[in-house]
Amino acid sequence: MKTFRNLLIWQKSMILVTSNYQLTQKFPKEEIFGLTSQIRRCSVSIPSNIAEGYGRQSNKEFARFLNIAVSSLFEYQTQIEIAKNINYINEEEFNQLYEKSRELEAMIISFTKKVNSVN
C-alpha cells in the first residue's frame, strides 16, 4: 500500500464528508455554529484520523488513530439522529446516512483488528 488514499475506509469516509457538507448546506443559518459545525467537524475527523494514523511509525499508533476515527463516527451517528429528531433531515435521509456510517464503522473496526494483529 503506497498511500492512505488507497485505503477503502479513507475513500468511503471522504464520500461521507462530501455528503455531509451537501446535507448541512440546507440546515438553518442559525445552526452554522451549532449542529452544522459539529456534523462537519466530526465527519472531517474520520478520514483525517485515518490519514494521520497511516503516517505514524507503528501499527499500535495507527490502531489508536483508527479508534479515534471510529469514535468520531459514533459522534456523527448521534448528531444525524439529532438532526432527524428536530426535522432538519427526514427519515429516509437519516436511514441512508446511518446505514452508510454503520458500513464504514464495521470496516474501520475490522481494519483496526487487522492492524492490531500485525506486529
Side-chain angles (χ1 to χ4, degrees):
M1 188 174 0
K2 295 181 182 179
T3 174
F4 61 86
R5 288 178 176 87
N6 296 93
L7 295 171
L8 187 57
I9 57 172
W10 183 84
Q11 295 167 5
K12 285 189 174 273
S13 63
M14 289 295 288
I15 291 167
L16 188 70
V17 169
T18 303
S19 297
N20 285 311
Y21 268 79
Q22 293 166 344
L23 174 77
T24 56
Q25 284 178 343
K26 66 180 185 176
F27 282 15
K29 295 299 175 207
E30 64 266 15
E31 281 294 342
I32 193 71
F33 298 111
L35 195 56
T36 299
S37 175
Q38 285 293 109
I39 289 173
R40 289 177 176 183
R41 285 186 309 123
C42 70
S43 65
V44 165
S45 179
I46 300 163
S48 298
N49 277 293
I50 293 167
E52 185 172 353
Y54 181 89
R56 296 295 171 139
Q57 298 299 314
S58 73
N59 285 341
K60 183 178 178 181
E61 280 289 296
F62 191 12
R64 185 172 74 81
F65 277 88
L66 290 170
N67 284 325
I68 294 168
V70 111
S71 296
S72 294
L73 187 57
F74 292 153
E75 182 182 356
Y76 167 74
Q77 290 168 348
T78 300
Q79 291 165 0
I80 62 170
E81 189 150 348
I82 292 167
K84 176 187 65 94
N85 291 346
I86 58 178
N87 298 314
Y88 289 173
I89 61 175
N90 63 40
E91 189 79 28
E92 183 180 339
E93 290 170 315
F94 170 77
N95 289 336
Q96 289 174 354
L97 292 168
Y98 187 71
E99 285 308 311
K100 286 180 185 178
S101 74
R102 292 287 295 171
E103 176 188 13
L104 183 57
E105 174 190 334
M107 291 173 70
I108 295 172
I109 290 170
S110 175
F111 189 71
T112 303
K113 288 177 183 175
K114 185 177 179 180
V115 167
N116 278 327
S117 71
V118 178
N119 287 320

